[in-house]
Amino acid sequence: MGSVAKNGLNNYVKQLQQHPLRTKVITAGVLSGISDIVSQKLTGIQRLQFKRLLLKVIFGAAYLGPFGHFFHIMLDKIFKGKKDTKTVAKKVLIEQLTSSPWNNLLFLIYYGLVVEGRPWVHVKAKVKKDYPSVQYTSWTFWPVVGWINHKFMPLHFRVVFHSFIAFGWGIFLNLRARSMVPRSVALTKA
């Protein structure tokens, strides 16, 4: 069994080196999907909502994977790949002041409009109510992840590392973004 896992990891790293964007897109999509399955189960949904799951996979693959890929490349170009303490702090600060607020806002809007199909007026009210606490929580959690990522991870592993941590963050966001739909209605939606 150990050799199967080792071969799988070696093949994954090979794909990551040969096809970095494609591999990050697939990884982000798969992890977004698994995160949503866990979220659905945690909220008591008995039958898996496949449309919701597909929409979350699309968000991960179409947005999170490519955005992370190009964002990390851009940061490394700006700072020329440096990993000294001052540079890592600057990268984390830029990440927390730009991509973090944007990603959380975009997720909450996407979830309300696309995943739940709510009218803009309801989504706007939900975002206005929940976004400040989501972003505050993000700023208490993600800087540590960013520090580890920029300090210790090679460039080609940063999005993958971020995606694995985002698996748990995605569960949190799913639970926060979810509208307060009566449980019986939430259970019957498919």
Side-chain angles (χ1 to χ4, degrees):
M1 183 67 176
S3 65
V4 172
K6 186 177 179 181
N7 286 339
L9 180 60
N10 287 338
N11 286 333
Y12 180 81
V13 171
K14 182 179 175 184
Q15 288 299 310
L16 192 57
Q17 291 168 338
Q18 292 177 347
H19 308 284
L21 179 58
R22 180 180 71 189
T23 306
K24 293 170 192 173
V25 163
I26 293 168
T27 302
V30 167
L31 289 173
S32 291
I34 295 170
S35 177
D36 187 61
I37 291 169
V38 172
S39 298
Q40 287 189 41
K41 293 303 173 187
L42 287 175
T43 58
I45 295 172
Q46 299 300 312
R47 262 186 51 223
L48 197 60
Q49 297 175 356
F50 287 105
K51 180 181 175 188
R52 169 184 154 162
L53 176 61
L54 177 62
L55 291 171
K56 294 299 295 310
V57 169
I58 289 170
F59 184 78
Y63 173 71
L64 295 175
F67 178 85
H69 173 78
F70 292 112
F71 184 78
H72 286 285
I73 288 173
M74 179 192 71
L75 281 179
D76 252 36
K77 283 184 179 180
I78 290 170
F79 295 103
K80 298 176 183 27
K82 295 179 187 174
K83 288 189 174 190
D84 61 276
T85 302
K86 189 174 179 180
T87 301
V88 170
K90 288 177 185 176
K91 287 180 178 181
V92 171
L93 184 63
I94 289 171
E95 187 174 62
Q96 294 308 307
L97 294 177
T98 60
S99 74
S100 174
W102 169 251
N103 288 343
N104 290 323
L105 179 64
L106 186 63
F107 178 86
L108 291 173
I109 292 170
Y110 178 85
Y111 193 93
L113 286 176
V114 178
V115 176
E116 289 188 328
R118 301 263 177 214
W120 171 245
V121 66
H122 295 278
V123 173
K124 184 178 171 185
K126 177 85 171 142
V127 168
K128 187 176 181 179
K129 177 182 172 270
D130 287 349
Y131 179 74
S133 65
V134 166
Q135 190 55 49
Y136 176 77
T137 304
S138 176
W139 282 332
T140 63
F141 173 74
W142 281 105
V144 174
V145 174
W147 184 272
I148 293 167
N149 206 10
H150 293 291
K151 184 74 175 173
F152 301 108
M153 293 292 158
L155 178 60
H156 64 282
F157 279 122
R158 288 191 194 140
V159 175
V160 174
F161 174 75
H162 190 273
S163 292
F164 274 100
I165 303 299
F167 169 85
W169 180 252
I171 293 169
F172 166 77
L173 279 181
N174 276 305
L175 297 175
R176 287 302 300 268
R178 192 168 99 64
S179 291
M180 294 314 231
V181 179
R183 187 174 160 86
S184 60
V185 174
L187 292 175
T188 59
K189 282 189 168 184

